[in-house]
Amino acid sequence: MRFILNVIWLVLCGLWMAIGYVVAGLICCVLIITIPFGVAALRIAGFALWPFGRTTVERRDAGAGSLIGNVIWFVFAGWWLALGHIFTGIALCLTIIGIPLGIANFKLIPISLMPLGREIVPTDRPFATR
């Protein structure tokens, strides 16, 4: 079932959302000081491309640096990506088949707003719970 949902996701919205994250990541990697943001954006691009069967958990070792970084990310890139998830999620929820995909899109909003201090893990691992 995960594979089918991931393929439908990839066709309907995953590719476009991943491209958005890759563009944000490449822009961040061009500037030397924002390379950590670029790495986070590229990591999330893979998650946005194939999300079913994976989840995000908070990293316990993330400190004040990730909080400050998340504020900077939110101002420059996070809210644009979150708007993309909101609009795509609403469009997917207009059809019955798209409702699970729309809900998955809404679940990606928190990580698009605050990616630092989060880790993407498979859902079948025991440490994948919050």
Side-chain angles (χ1 to χ4, degrees), residues 11-125:
V11 171
L12 294 180
C13 67
L15 183 63
W16 305 113
M17 293 308 299
I19 289 172
Y21 281 106
V22 167
V23 168
L26 291 176
I27 290 171
C28 288
C29 284
V30 168
L31 306 169
I32 301 299
I33 198 162
T34 57
I35 287 177
F37 302 119
V39 171
L42 294 174
R43 187 182 65 224
I44 299 170
F47 183 55
L49 195 62
W50 205 257
F52 294 99
R54 296 190 293 173
T55 188
T56 62
V57 293
E58 293 180 20
R59 291 182 54 191
R60 299 290 179 207
D61 59 346
S66 65
L67 174 68
I68 294 167
N70 280 330
V71 170
I72 294 169
W73 172 265
F74 177 83
V75 171
F76 291 108
W79 68 280
W80 285 102
L81 294 168
L83 282 175
H85 284 296
I86 290 170
F87 291 135
T88 308
I90 290 171
L92 287 170
C93 285
L94 294 177
T95 65
I96 292 180
I97 295 173
I99 289 174
L101 303 173
I103 292 170
N105 229 328
F106 295 139
K107 288 181 181 179
L108 285 172
I109 292 172
I111 195 166
S112 70
L113 291 174
M114 297 178 291
L116 302 175
R118 310 273 309 165
E119 186 175 358
I120 300 167
V121 295
T123 55
D124 58 352
R125 289 196 184 165

